[in-house]
Amino acid sequence: MKNNLKWVSLVLMSFMLVSSACSGGSGNAGESAEPTPSNSNEPSGGGETAEQPKKEPVTIEFMGHGNPNEKKIFEQLIASFEKKYTHVKVKYTSVPPGEYGQKLTTLVSSGKAPDVFYVGGSEFYRFAESGILMNLQAQLDQTDLFNPDNVWKQALDRYRYDGSAVGTGDIYGLPKDVGPWAFVYNKDLFDKAGIAYPSAKAGEWTWDDMLEAAKTITADNDGDGKTDVFGVGAYNLESAVWGNGGDFLDSTTGTVTIDKPEFYEAMQFAADLNLVHNVSPNQEAEQAMNAYTRFVNGQMGMFAMGPWDQPAFWDLPFGWDIAAWPASPNTGKTATWLGSMGFAVSAKSKHVEEAFNLAAFLSLDEEGQRQNYQLGQAVPNLIDMANGEFIAYEKAPANRQVFLDIIQDYGRTDLPARSKDNQWLDTFWQEASKVWNGEMSAKDWTAMMQPKLQELYDKGNK
């Protein structure tokens, strides 16, 4: 699991899942058994030792995406891998997130897919169905790095494929992360306004509480008639809809459900944060300075973040923490999306053992996972590590338990992973500006769009 106002930023968020969350292993997960010689299709249980025959040097290619912080983190992780597997050299390519999908598709189409690469969402479904991804089950059954009882099921099931559907069957990818999209707030602005912090416990803080806090924080500090500090930005529409009892899609029947009251009432609430209450930037203000920049500049009280944002947030000159997403006052419930990205091995890789070992190191190795969370990239994939040393880690956020609560209790699979073809969803976000700018009510817009989106969904997914 990877920042804009909802009508612009949520499209980017869907691609950035970008950078999203966790998974794990238990008991002895992460402890390497004494390795034994293996052929190119049989992974070893750990790194190389003096007792092993010297192996011929191998170079494998690994491609991912992310911001400069993520690239730096993975360069360090790869250096650790190369120290453990001394005969392997990893050629690492980091592609800008917006260019990654097209570049990967081009490489795959030309038969030049990297040995290991990021894959997630609908892309995983298509690639598994097309035979592009290697079935990793045999390798996992032979390595003691893998204990399925200690890997987040919410992450691992994203990369199962049974030949017809995702979610069951053998494993065709290992979780890079499982990304809880959390509610972050500026503690200094709350202190200045003299108001209590949002609750870390789901259901205790509602939309109404958030709105009152946002009104108090929003300010025109220089008296020029323009807002300098906004209460909230890039509010999570999925959180509002799901918490209110609605959804974008009934996955069982394949019915687009945006025209239901639970949906359009939540969408109108999110739009009215700007249109009615003026506590969130409008499109013009967002274009001048996006919500992410406003938050890191100390000009926004509440925002959203994934674990991958931690390295940048650790350097902020103000206090911050995370809380549960505000609950709908209509249901008393909250929700948010849970993204994930995976490590896949190309079915055409000529170095299966080394490619699998890299994916396993990045996803399951105890030391690799420790470096990952300490560098601020993700919640550990190893459940016992997440519940232990990760929670006790001294760096912000203090309420680290919120990340785990989202994974375990109220996080939902992010929308792009719920259908094979996402043209219907892309169209939703592209057209939603009519609601965000007040041109149409959410009720009228969703009634108009439902048939169009249904047609697009049916065309790509049925």
Side-chain angles (χ1 to χ4, degrees):
M1 270 77 334
K2 195 237 126 238
N3 301 21
N4 231 318
L5 194 58
K6 202 64 188 178
W7 53 83
V8 175
S9 67
L10 286 180
V11 178
L12 297 177
M13 291 174 194
S14 296
F15 289 109
M16 291 175 61
L17 309 186
V18 252
S19 268
S20 175
C22 8
S23 194
S26 92
N28 294 327
E31 299 178 10
S32 298
E34 194 69 22
T36 57
S38 59
N39 63 37
S40 63
N41 292 309
E42 296 175 343
S44 60
E48 300 167 18
T49 69
E51 289 75 21
Q52 279 188 304
K54 184 174 179 62
K55 296 184 177 181
E56 291 297 321
V58 168
T59 297
I60 59 175
E61 296 185 352
F62 168 45
M63 189 171 81
H65 61 70
N67 59 31
N69 279 327
E70 178 163 337
K71 180 179 179 181
K72 182 179 179 181
I73 288 168
F74 272 87
E75 287 172 345
Q76 294 181 58
L77 291 170
I78 289 167
S80 296
F81 171 81
E82 291 176 335
K83 184 176 181 180
K84 184 173 184 178
Y85 296 91
T86 56
H87 75 291
V88 184
K89 178 69 176 177
V90 179
K91 181 181 178 182
Y92 172 46
T93 302
S94 181
V95 179
E99 301 172 14
Y100 180 82
Q102 182 59 52
K103 184 173 180 63
L104 179 60
T105 299
T106 300
L107 290 172
V108 167
S109 299
S110 62
K112 298 179 181 179
D115 296 279
V116 182
F117 52 89
Y118 287 6
V119 67
S122 59
E123 197 172 63
F124 172 78
Y125 196 148
R126 295 193 304 272
F127 283 2
E129 187 177 56
S130 302
I132 293 165
L133 310 182
M134 177 165 289
N135 185 332
L136 302 179
Q137 196 64 55
Q139 282 81 6
L140 289 168
D141 290 342
Q142 294 177 42
T143 178
D144 55 356
L145 282 177
F146 181 56
N147 179 348
D149 294 333
N150 196 38
V151 179
W152 299 109
K153 176 178 172 61
Q154 296 87 337
L156 204 57
D157 285 354
R158 301 277 189 104
Y159 307 102
R160 294 187 182 275
Y161 180 66
D162 64 6
S164 61
V166 172
T168 60
D170 289 349
I171 295 173
Y172 284 75
L174 293 174
K176 167 181 174 285
D177 53 35
V178 56
W181 193 234
F183 189 68
V184 64
Y185 60 94
N186 182 322
K187 296 170 71 174
D188 289 16
L189 289 178
F190 271 77
D191 291 342
K192 181 179 179 180
I195 51 181
Y197 300 147
S199 175
K201 186 175 180 180
E204 288 190 348
W205 219 60
T206 70
W207 295 353
D208 295 335
D209 297 319
M210 183 202 69
L211 182 56
E212 288 306 307
K215 288 178 178 178
T216 305
I217 291 169
T218 299
D220 172 12
N221 292 329
D222 55 15
D224 65 354
K226 296 181 180 180
T227 301
D228 299 305
V229 177
F230 286 96
V232 63
Y235 196 79
N236 185 348
L237 179 60
E238 294 96 326
S239 174
V241 168
W242 291 335
N244 203 42
D247 208 340
F248 291 69
L249 178 74
D250 182 333
S251 298
T252 303
T253 63
T255 304
V256 176
T257 54
I258 66 168
D259 56 341
K260 306 300 182 184
E262 296 84 358
F263 188 101
Y264 61 70
E265 289 171 2
M267 189 177 190
Q268 194 63 60
F269 161 76
D272 286 348
L273 291 174
N274 162 244
L275 298 174
V276 175
H277 306 295
N278 301 309
V279 297
S280 189
N282 60 20
Q283 291 189 55
E284 182 180 355
E286 183 69 23
Q287 289 169 357
M289 182 187 296
N290 65 38
Y292 177 88
T293 303
R294 289 182 190 275
F295 184 79
V296 300
N297 285 350
Q299 297 173 280
M300 180 166 285
M302 294 166 279
F303 186 53
M305 72 169 290
W308 53 89
D309 286 318
Q310 290 175 99
F313 284 19
W314 285 337
D315 293 331
L316 295 178
F318 55 82
W320 60 274
D321 208 343
I322 56 176
W325 279 90
S328 164
N330 300 319
T331 65
K333 296 181 179 180
T334 191
T336 184
W337 58 261
L338 191 61
S340 182
M341 192 61 64
F343 299 114
V345 175
S346 170
K348 294 185 177 181
S349 175
K350 295 179 181 179
H351 306 291
V352 173
E353 178 185 355
E354 290 79 10
F356 171 79
N357 284 341
L358 175 61
F361 177 84
L362 295 174
S363 178
L364 303 172
D365 181 85
E366 183 177 316
E367 184 53 37
Q369 285 298 290
R370 181 171 291 112
Q371 288 185 55
N372 210 11
Y373 88 73
Q374 289 180 347
L375 292 169
Q377 178 59 33
V379 179
N381 287 336
L382 306 178
I383 295 174
D384 53 4
M385 183 179 288
N387 286 324
E389 59 189 82
F390 171 77
I391 288 295
Y393 197 45
E394 71 276 7
K395 290 188 176 182
N399 291 330
R400 289 177 166 269
Q401 182 63 43
V402 171
F403 284 139
L404 305 193
D405 290 345
I406 293 171
I407 295 170
Q408 298 173 100
D409 300 332
Y410 58 90
R412 298 197 187 186
T413 302
D414 54 309
L415 292 171
R418 294 170 62 180
S419 52
K420 192 187 314 184
D421 182 278
N422 280 314
Q423 187 179 356
W424 72 278
L425 187 57
D426 295 340
T427 301
F428 174 93
W429 295 123
Q430 291 161 8
E431 298 291 328
S433 61
K434 292 183 176 64
V435 177
W436 308 133
N437 65 22
E439 183 180 338
M440 296 182 71
S441 70
K443 182 177 181 179
D444 290 344
W445 181 81
T446 54
M448 177 187 73
M449 289 297 297
Q450 194 281 337
K452 180 177 181 179
L453 298 182
Q454 186 68 61
E455 181 179 357
L456 290 172
Y457 178 85
D458 292 347
K459 181 180 178 181
N461 296 279
K462 288 186 177 180

